[in-house]
Amino acid sequence: MFFLDVSAWTLQNILIRLTAAMVLGGLIGIDRGGKRRGGGARTDAVVCVGAAIVMMTGQCIEIRYPGAADLTRMASQVVSGVGFLGAGSIMVSGHQVKGLTSAAGIWICACIGLAVGIGFLDGAILTTVILLAGLHILPLVEERLYQYSRYVILYVEADEGGTSAEFLHRLKMDGCKVDRFDVDKSGAGMQSFTILTTIRLPRDLKRDEYIEELYRIQGIRSIDMM
């Protein structure tokens, strides 16, 4: 059923599991670190090896003291506990949330480590290969598909006054469907505020040209498309 059977409790298999956990976690970390994202190779490798040793410890307990260990419970504790580590990589910067993919990467490194630790090396390797391929292919697919999307998220900085009402009125007059329109006036003391809006453009409007038109509204300082 499996190409690589390292489930037997031998010194050779223990070394193979720990090495595989280090390599697979390191590969994911190197890929994220190369893009200047996430904690990098060391963090992901440590998480993967740590998860592996948890499962190996559970197997060792089961061999020495049959019935004393619950491997499924130990695995679930790792999966839930590593979430706190992943949450530390999520940052909210202004109007953007960063680190979600890195947090998910740390979580899946723990899952891969659990698979390696119990001897499911085939699944761990295949998961790593598919994950790395997906991290490189999916952004290209997203970029291609989003070029044709009629939905746009705009982050607008405007002068204090009636600009928000005028901006919203312009969107509706042009036939845009407004799904979200949040106004943040925390910068009112600086005579400015921000608008975060999600709109659906009509088919007769070209996205880049329309944003240039919106930028010409009096009181608009900047418009960023997310």
Side-chain angles (χ1 to χ4, degrees):
M1 183 176 179
F2 304 114
F3 294 103
L4 302 172
D5 185 7
V6 293
S7 59
W9 189 253
T10 65
L11 179 60
Q12 178 182 354
N13 286 344
I14 292 174
L15 291 175
I16 291 175
R17 293 188 210 178
L18 291 175
T19 303
M22 177 69 73
V23 171
L24 296 179
L27 285 175
I28 296 174
I30 289 172
D31 180 77
R32 300 300 298 162
K35 300 175 183 178
R36 299 299 186 266
R37 307 280 180 84
R42 288 177 295 180
T43 299
D44 288 347
V46 168
V47 169
C48 198
V49 172
I53 194 63
V54 168
M55 293 303 288
M56 292 167 61
T57 301
Q59 184 181 9
C60 180
I61 294 174
E62 182 63 27
I63 292 173
R64 295 188 178 184
Y65 311 101
D70 186 345
L71 292 179
T72 58
R73 180 176 295 180
M74 296 179 69
S76 66
Q77 293 299 319
V78 172
V79 171
S80 59
V82 79
F84 291 98
L85 182 62
S89 65
I90 300 175
M91 297 180 295
V92 179
S93 177
H95 57 282
Q96 292 184 328
V97 179
K98 301 179 179 180
L100 290 175
T101 304
S102 299
I106 293 174
W107 180 81
I108 200 171
C109 279
C111 296
I112 291 172
L114 293 174
V116 173
I118 203 61
F120 186 31
L121 203 56
D122 304 71
I125 293 175
L126 289 174
T127 300
T128 302
V129 172
I130 293 173
L131 174 64
L132 292 176
L135 289 175
H136 286 271
I137 294 175
L138 287 178
L140 300 178
V141 175
E142 285 182 331
E143 184 178 358
R144 183 65 61 86
L145 292 178
Y146 290 169
Q147 290 178 351
Y148 304 100
S149 176
R150 307 307 300 172
Y151 285 90
V152 181
I153 301 177
L154 300 178
Y155 181 78
V156 183
E157 184 177 352
D159 293 327
E160 184 65 27
T163 309
S164 61
E166 181 180 351
F167 186 77
L168 180 60
H169 179 71
R170 173 64 182 274
L171 293 176
K172 293 183 176 180
M173 287 294 294
D174 292 336
C176 298
K177 179 182 178 182
V178 181
D179 285 349
R180 174 186 180 187
F181 195 87
D182 298 330
V183 179
D184 183 5
K185 294 188 177 182
S186 59
M190 302 174 60
Q191 302 302 315
S192 68
F193 63 94
T194 59
I195 300 171
L196 183 62
T197 181
T198 302
I199 62 175
R200 186 182 188 278
L201 298 175
R203 294 190 177 278
D204 58 339
L205 291 179
K206 294 183 178 180
R207 183 174 56 186
D208 294 338
E209 294 180 1
Y210 184 62
I211 292 177
E212 286 293 330
E213 294 180 10
L214 293 177
Y215 185 72
R216 297 190 183 99
I217 297 176
Q218 185 176 4
I220 298 297
R221 293 187 178 185
S222 63
I223 299 180
D224 294 326
M225 184 169 59
M226 300 172 59

